Amino acid sequence: MKPQYRKESQRGVITVAALLLLIFVSVIVFSMMFTSSTETQLSGSDAEKSIAYYATEAAMEKMMVDLNDLYTTRLAPNAAMIEGLGNPALQPTLPGITYPEYTYTVPNVGGVPTTEVRTISGGPNEGLIASIIPITLDVTARRLGEAEVKMRRNVEVALIPVFQFGIFSDTDLSYFPGPNFDFAGRVHTNGNLFLATSNAAGLVFHSKITAVGEVIRRQLSNGVDTIADGRDKPVLIPTAPAGCDGARPACRDLQENEGSKQFGPTSADNPNWVNISTSTYNGMILNGDTGARALTLPFVASGLRNIDLVRIPPAGEDPLSPAGASRLYNQAQIRVLLANTQAELGGAGVRLANVNTPGYTNYANGVPVVGTGASYFFADANPTVGNPDWDPLWVHPNNADQTARGDFPLPPGPYPNGVWPLLDGYLLVQYRDSAGNWIDVTDEWLQLGFARGLNAPNQEAGITDTIHPNAIIRLQFRADRNDDGDLADGVGETTAITVAGSANSRYMWYPINLYDTREGEVRDTNLGAGNPSCSVAGIINVVELDIRNLTRWLSGAIGARGTFVDSAAQNGYILYFSDRRGARPNGAGDITGEFGYEDNINPTVAAGTPNNALDAPEDVNDNNALDVYGRWNLGDGFLVAAQGGDTAADRFDSRIDCRAVGRKNRVSGARRALKVINGSLANGVGGPPRAPGGAGGFSIASENPVYVQGNYNASNAGFGDPHAASAVMADTVTLLSRNWSDARSFRDPTNVGNRPALTSYYRMAVAAGKNKSFPLPGWAPTTEYGLDGGTHNFLRYLENWGGQTLYYRGSLVSLYHSEYGVGIYKCCNT
């Protein structure tokens, strides 16, 4: 695949298929639909019967509304909740009418409604698989004792799991691929659908398409005319099921004048659209005018936004409330949480610095790592050890300055010889057992290890970790002082392992950072090979999650308590991750999981320089305010500047030497992420974990961005079996090939040619965010500025895939605009 990171001169093929496995149905369930049949019995005089009949009908409609409202606010109401809607207090109040019968009957087992999984046979959602819940509504209305009408309605509630779509989008959805692009899954958007391609072979769909808004053929989402831009090649849509498969027996090009609008979303209607949609295409492409209906998350009516699905709940929220029960934080069986203070973790957690923390586990003398016979320290900086060139290039601020800091508390002074921690904050790892108890296993995970050598472990490629081979999470790696990929030729490079148990070993590590050009660069500008200049906003500190070792821990091969993790509640495991280290409170005093910096697009400014004004595409959280609180400490870890405050050096576009400074220093702001590694089916344990017995699956949920490095739930041989039903739900998801190198990303960070990919395979459903589109600016050097990347770049990329193929099998779900990964889509150079 060429994932649109290079222009059309570098070809490739994209294949996306819908993941039809119904994994974690209770995690993300979209629309509720009703089908019903009604029986009516009448008795009494005609006039009184008429009054009673209308009273019965009114009551039945109220019962339907109440049932709809319940499913709108509750993800999975139990039988008692449904039957409780028959409470007399909820009955209509009409003069002269009583209701001797007003009941909901729900077949259930142990209070759990009985369900049947089957295919929807009609309507705009025909062909989708739904979980059907039968419910019987009975109501009898009596009119002054003279007339009585009984009505029964048999209702089927259909819950549609979202991960069966090829792609689902809650907002506008775009296609504008340059390479051949076959999309095999079902397509739905609650917004507008933009269809275009510049490839002569066409954009090919194989399943039904529904858009609640408009179907647009003559414009891209940034207002560019598709014909003028050369994106007027065939868009092939089936006119019957399987019509574009194989020899394409019923497959037709939707012409540029055949959208629901004549040009863009606000242009004049196409008078021929209804006939095109319903007759020419036989309902295989629908919009709101021809039958498409919005599908929404059940809990949104309770006051939450879609992105709250992956957020930590606010203090005091009831986990059993409609909002609380919907959060993946509460549904997870494993939580990995990092924060600035223990207070943010409920008073728990281990300090990731070599200091004595009174009342908590004391790792001032190092972490005793199992099987090593030594205690390992968290990374510290000390320019007086060895050659000063290998450690951070600025002197730590004085102690007085530290007492005034509030962004990221550091160990109390003094700091002899300028020593300071390269890692800090607090870590809490918990699991939930079968009784629902949360158990702290932070010490167990840290004592399995937290460091590695130069390269992330990849068992399939023979890259093993000889430092901490059992580590489930990794926080630091061996310091390559001169950045040449060799630990034997730099000053002090060879001493780290031999002094692992001594205090000096704390200086032999760097935090695991990478450079994300999409997050760091304000424009798509290649500064040239060998130029190490980069922006502080793109330096991302990651926690690496080793899938192989997580699977081993859950199976009991390492550690002591992995086999006690509940695997029944979600038919497998959900791991929830949040890293709020460096995050600042917003204007209301809350830390929310956002980046908190929105002055980053500035579409009217050619250079992208912050203009201190809110431009529409910058308002990612839709609060109608320019949020910039996230810049307060952004540059503190890298710049020679006054520390602890909102200074000029804290701007997101402030530039530093990425290779000399960015790759080895601490990240001080809210630039954190999870990197998933060692997830190949050939990792020695069969890929991502499954429940005991091989059933179920594994999902990762994160309010931070997630990077998936190398083959995941697949291998170099492709999509083999057995495999786990897998999903990743995060603020954003970026795919890194098996050739990715963190170190290489810092050497000439704006030159995509320096980051060659290798063919890789990924099998997982993905729910994530994307950017907002905006009109093409007048200064733009390409017509792709202002686009959100489209479906082909919904999964983000940082490498040059020219000549290589990215194989993806899964379901794409775009639920929200990303609020942590806010960098705009860049098509071509960086």
Side-chain angles (χ1 to χ4, degrees):
M1 176 185 96
K2 180 185 80 60
Q4 200 65 2
Y5 244 87
R6 307 306 307 144
K7 296 298 274 186
E8 282 73 11
S9 60
Q10 295 175 310
R11 301 297 180 185
V13 177
I14 299 175
T15 300
V16 182
L19 181 66
L20 293 178
L21 297 173
L22 297 182
I23 61 173
F24 305 127
V25 171
S26 63
V27 174
I28 300 182
V29 178
F30 263 80
S31 176
M32 172 193 60
M33 302 190 311
F34 292 103
T35 60
S36 63
S37 60
T38 305
E39 298 176 2
T40 306
Q41 295 179 359
L42 301 89
S43 63
S45 66
D46 289 344
E48 295 298 320
K49 281 191 297 184
S50 294
I51 296 173
Y53 174 83
Y54 290 119
T56 308
E57 191 173 58
M60 183 62 74
E61 294 310 311
K62 184 178 188 305
M63 294 178 81
M64 291 289 290
V65 169
D66 289 346
L67 184 61
N68 180 79
D69 289 346
L70 176 64
Y71 271 94
T72 300
T73 57
R74 287 280 182 179
L75 187 62
N78 58 34
M81 294 176 184
I82 298 171
E83 291 172 351
L85 297 175
N87 189 297
L90 298 176
Q91 297 176 5
T93 302
L94 298 173
I97 298 293
T98 60
Y99 291 99
E101 183 179 36
Y102 193 94
T103 61
Y104 297 75
T105 304
V106 189
N108 68 92
V109 178
V112 178
T114 301
T115 61
E116 176 187 354
V117 176
R118 67 173 185 258
T119 301
I120 298 172
S121 58
N125 297 300
E126 179 182 0
L128 291 174
I129 297 171
S131 182
I132 307 297
I133 302 172
I135 303 174
T136 301
L137 283 58
D138 287 293
V139 61
T140 299
R142 182 173 297 157
R143 165 68 173 167
L144 300 175
E146 297 181 11
E148 189 174 273
V149 175
K150 176 182 176 63
M151 187 175 293
R152 167 171 289 180
R153 182 169 293 180
N154 296 309
V155 174
E156 290 183 338
V157 179
L159 304 177
I160 302 175
V162 69
F163 280 153
Q164 66 186 296
F165 288 91
I167 187 166
F168 172 95
S169 180
D170 193 51
T171 57
D172 288 354
L173 180 64
S174 293
Y175 288 82
F176 55 92
N180 300 341
F181 199 100
D182 265 25
F183 198 90
R186 186 78 173 257
V187 176
H188 177 88
T189 173
N190 284 339
N192 299 314
L193 176 65
F194 296 83
L195 298 173
T197 182
S198 57
N199 191 282
L203 165 63
V204 185
F205 292 93
H206 294 265
S207 297
K208 192 171 186 176
I209 299 170
T210 48
V212 178
E214 305 297 341
V215 175
I216 306 299
R217 284 288 281 123
R218 276 297 304 269
Q219 280 188 4
L220 302 180
S221 63
N222 63 354
V224 169
D225 186 295
T226 56
I227 294 178
D229 198 43
R231 298 181 188 271
D232 55 351
K233 303 306 183 286
V235 173
L236 300 173
I237 297 171
T239 59
C244 288
D245 297 354
R248 300 178 180 174
C251 190
R252 184 182 181 277
D253 178 13
L254 183 70
Q255 300 294 310
E256 276 65 32
N257 64 350
E258 291 184 335
S260 64
K261 292 285 187 175
Q262 295 184 23
F263 289 95
T266 60
S267 66
D269 291 338
N270 178 358
N272 300 318
W273 166 250
V274 172
N275 182 65
I276 291 169
S277 172
T278 60
S279 296
T280 305
Y281 283 93
N282 297 306
M284 293 298 292
I285 180 167
L286 301 172
N287 81 333
D289 294 329
T290 55
R293 296 293 176 263
L295 305 177
T296 57
L297 283 170
F299 64 76
V300 172
S302 64
L304 297 186
R305 300 178 301 145
N306 285 350
I307 199 168
D308 289 314
L309 181 77
V310 296
R311 290 279 171 79
I312 292 177
E317 181 181 89
D318 181 0
L320 299 180
S321 68
S326 301
R327 295 184 189 269
L328 290 160
Y329 173 90
N330 289 322
Q331 295 182 19
Q333 291 77 47
I334 304 170
R335 293 174 182 160
V336 180
L337 310 174
L338 298 103
N340 296 320
T341 66
Q342 283 177 313
E344 294 173 57
L345 299 176
V350 169
R351 182 78 175 269
L352 299 179
N354 307 306
V355 295
N356 189 340
T357 307
Y360 297 91
T361 301
N362 178 13
Y363 284 132
N365 297 314
V367 181
V369 176
V370 175
T372 66
S375 292
Y376 282 72
F377 290 84
F378 300 114
D380 273 350
N382 185 351
T384 66
V385 176
N387 184 342
D389 183 58
W390 54 257
D391 260 330
L393 302 182
W394 54 274
V395 177
H396 196 281
N398 61 44
N399 298 333
D401 180 61
Q402 288 306 303
T403 61
R405 290 175 64 96
D407 62 309
F408 193 91
L410 295 172
Y415 297 98
N417 300 318
V419 174
W420 68 91
L422 292 178
L423 291 176
D424 208 341
Y426 291 84
L427 168 70
L428 175 63
V429 181
Q430 304 171 300
Y431 76 85
R432 180 160 52 190
D433 65 17
S434 58
N437 303 305
W438 283 100
I439 312 298
D440 188 333
V441 287
T442 312
D443 294 336
E444 179 170 318
W445 277 35
L446 284 174
Q447 290 170 18
L448 287 170
F450 55 91
R452 63 163 169 85
L454 289 182
N455 300 306
N458 181 350
Q459 200 76 10
E460 180 178 22
I463 302 173
T464 58
D465 182 3
T466 59
I467 297 174
H468 291 162
N470 295 325
I472 301 173
I473 55 172
R474 292 184 175 85
L475 309 169
Q476 59 192 38
F477 74 104
R478 283 288 309 280
D480 181 5
R481 315 296 192 197
N482 56 9
D483 186 33
D484 67 348
D486 186 344
L487 287 174
D489 62 351
V491 176
E493 286 183 351
T494 61
T495 61
I497 299 304
T498 59
V499 296
S502 74
N504 283 337
S505 68
R506 68 189 64 197
Y507 309 125
M508 307 302 178
W509 311 98
Y510 290 154
I512 304 176
N513 297 339
L514 60 81
Y515 189 67
D516 186 324
T517 54
R518 178 159 177 169
E519 289 303 299
E521 301 305 311
V522 295
R523 298 292 182 254
D524 191 10
T525 304
N526 186 341
L527 299 180
N531 188 333
S533 175
C534 74
S535 162
V536 296
I539 303 172
I540 310 296
N541 176 242
V542 302
V543 174
E544 288 184 344
L545 175 67
D546 190 312
I547 295 298
R548 177 177 187 271
N549 287 338
L550 175 63
T551 301
R552 294 172 67 215
W553 181 71
L554 289 167
S555 71
I558 57 174
R561 287 178 279 186
T563 57
F564 296 104
V565 180
D566 174 47
S567 62
Q570 296 294 344
N571 189 29
Y573 306 99
I574 300 176
L575 182 146
Y576 181 85
F577 176 85
S578 168
D579 190 345
R580 291 187 171 184
R581 289 177 298 167
R584 295 285 302 160
N586 61 16
D590 300 319
I591 294 178
T592 64
E594 299 177 5
F595 177 26
Y597 198 125
E598 294 179 338
D599 197 8
N600 69 315
I601 298 179
N602 308 298
T604 62
V605 183
T609 308
N611 61 3
N612 298 312
L614 181 64
D615 297 297
E618 295 175 332
D619 191 15
V620 293
N621 57 11
D622 296 318
N623 67 350
N624 297 314
L626 179 66
D627 295 315
V628 294
Y629 61 88
R631 72 186 178 194
W632 194 87
N633 57 342
L634 194 58
D636 291 3
F638 308 107
L639 301 174
V640 182
Q643 302 299 301
D646 187 0
T647 70
D650 288 313
R651 263 186 19 185
F652 82 99
D653 59 338
S654 295
R655 305 196 74 81
I656 63 170
D657 185 320
C658 234
R659 187 174 188 181
V661 180
R663 73 181 179 95
K664 41 178 132 170
N665 269 285
R666 68 184 180 92
V667 170
S668 52
R671 300 280 76 193
R672 314 282 175 169
L674 178 69
K675 182 163 31 127
V676 180
I677 63 171
N678 223 356
S680 166
L681 290 180
N683 65 1
V685 294
R690 300 186 291 276
F698 175 65
S699 284
I700 295 170
S702 171
E703 64 178 6
N704 300 81
V706 170
Y707 299 83
V708 181
Q709 181 173 338
N711 297 327
Y712 188 80
N713 206 23
S715 69
N716 288 338
F719 299 109
D721 291 305
H723 67 278
S726 297
V728 177
M729 295 161 278
D731 182 81
T732 60
V733 175
T734 300
L735 302 184
L736 306 174
S737 84
R738 55 193 176 92
N739 197 45
W740 171 263
S741 164
D742 296 338
R744 190 186 296 127
S745 72
F746 287 110
R747 288 174 190 152
D748 48 353
T750 65
N751 177 22
V752 70
N754 182 53
R755 302 187 298 275
L758 278 178
T759 294
S760 303
Y761 294 80
Y762 307 85
R763 175 165 45 192
M764 58 193 177
V766 172
K770 60 186 176 187
N771 300 128
K772 293 184 176 182
S773 293
F774 55 92
L776 180 74
W779 50 261
T782 76
T783 56
E784 296 199 8
Y785 271 97
L787 298 173
D788 62 10
T791 301
H792 45 300
N793 286 285
F794 175 66
L795 298 172
R796 299 183 175 195
Y797 316 96
L798 298 176
E799 297 165 279
N800 180 5
W801 285 87
Q804 302 295 314
T805 303
L806 190 157
Y807 293 96
Y808 172 77
R809 180 174 293 177
S811 172
L812 304 177
V813 178
S814 174
L815 290 176
Y816 36 77
H817 293 118
S818 50
E819 298 180 6
Y820 200 102
V822 297
I824 63 173
Y825 161 69
K826 303 167 183 71
C827 73
C828 312
N829 299 306
T830 59

